[in-house]
Amino acid sequence: MADKFDVIVIGAGPGGYVAAIRAAQMGLKTACVEKWVNKEGKTVHGGTCLNVGCIPSKALLETSHKFVEARDHYAEIGIEISDVSTNIAKMLEFKDQVIAKNVGGISALFKANGVTALEGTGKVVASKQVEVTGHDGEKTTYDADNIVIAAGSVPVEIPPTPMTEGLIVDSSGALEFTEAPKRLGVIGAGVIGLELGSVWSRLGSEVTMLEAMDTFLPMVDTAIAKETQKLLKKQGLDIKLGARVTGSEVKGEEVVVKYSDANGEQEMTFDKLIVCVGRRPYTKGVIDEGVSVELDERGFIFVDDQCRTNVPGIYAIGDCVRGPMLAHKASEEGVMVADIIAGHKAEMNYDAIPSVIYTAPEVAWVGINEQEAKTAGIEIKTGSFPFAANGRALANNASDGMAKIIADAETDRILGMHIVGQHAGELIAQGVIAMEFGSSAEDLALTCYAHPTTAEAIHEAALAVDGHAIHMANRKKRK
């Protein structure tokens, strides 16, 4: 009989590996199953996020942004460089180095915390049993008092654009282009599409984005989305809204895409096509049919607010359950579940999960936006401040964008924070912490911020909620 564990985690992505480490830290005998194999045939941890998602995409976003800065903007601040060029092979090498360091870090953390790493494909075959099929096909069954399913998600494929190696690719394939395609099509102008489109646009591609929805970034506050669309258009991204892809045809080394919009049937030809229309939970084959864990029609596992499934002792976290498909959301769910299994009280505040789009400038938000507040009938007051009036942003030559705070009109409690600007992903942490502690806009307004910092834009936005902004003219009557 194979070893018995207190906890077995299926999946070593940002939800799974964090859950496993936390469980081990709580004194629980823990194993984590991972099937991901890299190009060298070695099992690697980190899941989609580390291997083909969050981390590698940020490496390419950062290097491509530095290139554009050097080519187009350094001269504005007195740094003169001629003949700036790119070496995409070197960029990909750097990206792979970043992945390797992170993968090695997780493996080291498993060893340091006493987590048993099981290589192969995990499957729940009973309420307290996990079957692991090794890469050689050999099956081993392990007993566990608790099972955590953290199987993640995979890109959605659509019938009009079937994957075609080297020509029609998903987000993973878009990270492996060895040169910038002259004409690049991107289906979907959501978070992933905008990030990947930005990378290759900076590296020389003519990027056209086909978005089926009529509204740009509908999940983002309208004012922030409008500003973001304007800035991205200025950078050269051609974003076509209301463009519903109906078909495609591969002709030699080109892809002809057919779509319909307000003007009728349209057709465009691309050298490469990236399909970024969302992700779906990876749950097929993870749970044996004889195990009565409930799933919905889309494959998501039903869980309660603390990630318990309907079967006692089986939990599910991350992309395979309800809520935003975000690495940090999965990680926090992993911590919560591990703590609960260890006998501690734990919960997660789903109202304070930040989201970030890593374009340049970045877009970040937490909590509700203005249109959601109006739909819900919540009376609010807002304060905004442009980075163009922030001394540090001007000194950084990065004054695009704005910060916006939404507060309850009666209690002044912060309900949302929305930012488009340099380092928005870092700045949004202020909003997350403020909401986590139930802070009011006045709390931020009365806080002393370091000067000069771009964080002062948050301070001014908080002041502006009640018409007290210092470094811009206030539209509201001061109280």
Side-chain angles (χ1 to χ4, degrees), residues 48-64 95 98-99 171 174-175 191-192 195-196 199 202 358:
T48 294
C49 175
L50 197 159
N51 290 282
V52 293
C54 319
I55 301 301
S57 65
K58 301 314 163 288
L60 292 182
L61 279 160
E62 186 66 18
T63 52
S64 63
K95 175 204 62 156
V98 171
I99 294 172
S171 56
L175 297 172
V191 176
I192 299 173
E195 290 183 358
L196 293 174
V199 167
R202 294 171 194 162
Y358 295 89

Side-chain angles (χ1 to χ4, degrees), residues 101-173:
K101 289 177 182 177
N102 279 274
V103 167
I106 295 173
S107 298
L109 288 170
F110 273 6
K111 291 180 181 178
N113 288 280
V115 175
T116 300
L118 302 176
E119 300 183 2
T121 301
K123 183 178 184 178
V124 181
V125 292
S127 62
K128 295 185 182 298
Q129 283 190 331
V130 173
E131 179 186 83
V132 178
T133 304
H135 302 313
D136 58 0
E138 184 176 343
K139 298 179 185 295
T140 306
T141 301
Y142 298 88
D143 291 335
D145 291 330
N146 298 276
I147 299 170
V148 181
I149 302 171
S153 61
V154 292
V156 170
E157 295 185 27
I158 55 176
T161 55
M163 296 295 111
T164 305
E165 187 175 355
L167 289 175
I168 304 177
V169 302
D170 58 17
S171 56
S172 300

Side-chain angles (χ1 to χ4, degrees), residues 279-450:
R279 300 180 65 84
R280 60 178 177 82
Y282 183 82
T283 51
K284 186 176 181 180
V286 176
I287 305 168
D288 190 88
E289 292 181 1
V291 182
S292 56
V293 172
E294 293 182 8
L295 284 72
D296 70 12
E297 67 280 359
R298 296 179 297 167
F300 287 98
I301 300 171
F302 281 115
V303 292
D304 65 11
D305 290 342
Q306 293 176 308
C307 292
R308 298 182 184 89
T309 70
N310 61 297
V311 177
I314 299 181
Y315 301 78
I317 63 175
D319 286 5
C320 59
V321 303
R322 78 288 179 269
M325 289 184 170
L326 298 171
H328 43 280
K329 174 257 195 185
S331 294
E332 291 306 309
E333 287 179 331
V335 170
M336 174 179 68
V337 165
D339 285 353
I340 290 171
I341 292 172
H344 300 286
K345 292 183 178 180
E347 62 181 6
M348 183 171 169
N349 183 1
Y350 285 95
D351 293 330
I353 300 176
S355 296
V356 185
I357 306 175
Y358 295 89
T359 46
E362 294 177 352
V363 185
W365 66 96
V366 63
I368 65 173
N369 55 45
E370 190 166 348
Q371 57 265 34
E372 287 171 336
K374 290 179 179 178
T375 299
I378 302 172
E379 189 176 350
I380 61 171
K381 51 184 178 177
T382 67
S384 301
F385 190 81
F387 283 103
N390 176 269
R392 182 60 189 273
L394 288 167
N396 290 353
N397 197 31
S399 58
D400 288 332
M402 60 187 285
K404 179 177 180 178
I405 291 176
I406 297 173
D408 186 283
E410 182 179 355
T411 66
D412 196 42
R413 186 169 181 170
I414 295 173
L415 302 177
M417 184 180 290
H418 308 268
I419 310 168
V420 54
Q422 185 185 51
H423 305 316
E426 311 295 336
L427 295 174
I428 199 63
Q430 295 180 66
V432 178
I433 294 170
M435 290 182 62
E436 194 67 41
F437 283 87
S439 300
S440 64
E442 185 182 36
D443 287 329
L444 292 186
L446 293 174
T447 299
C448 182
Y449 280 67

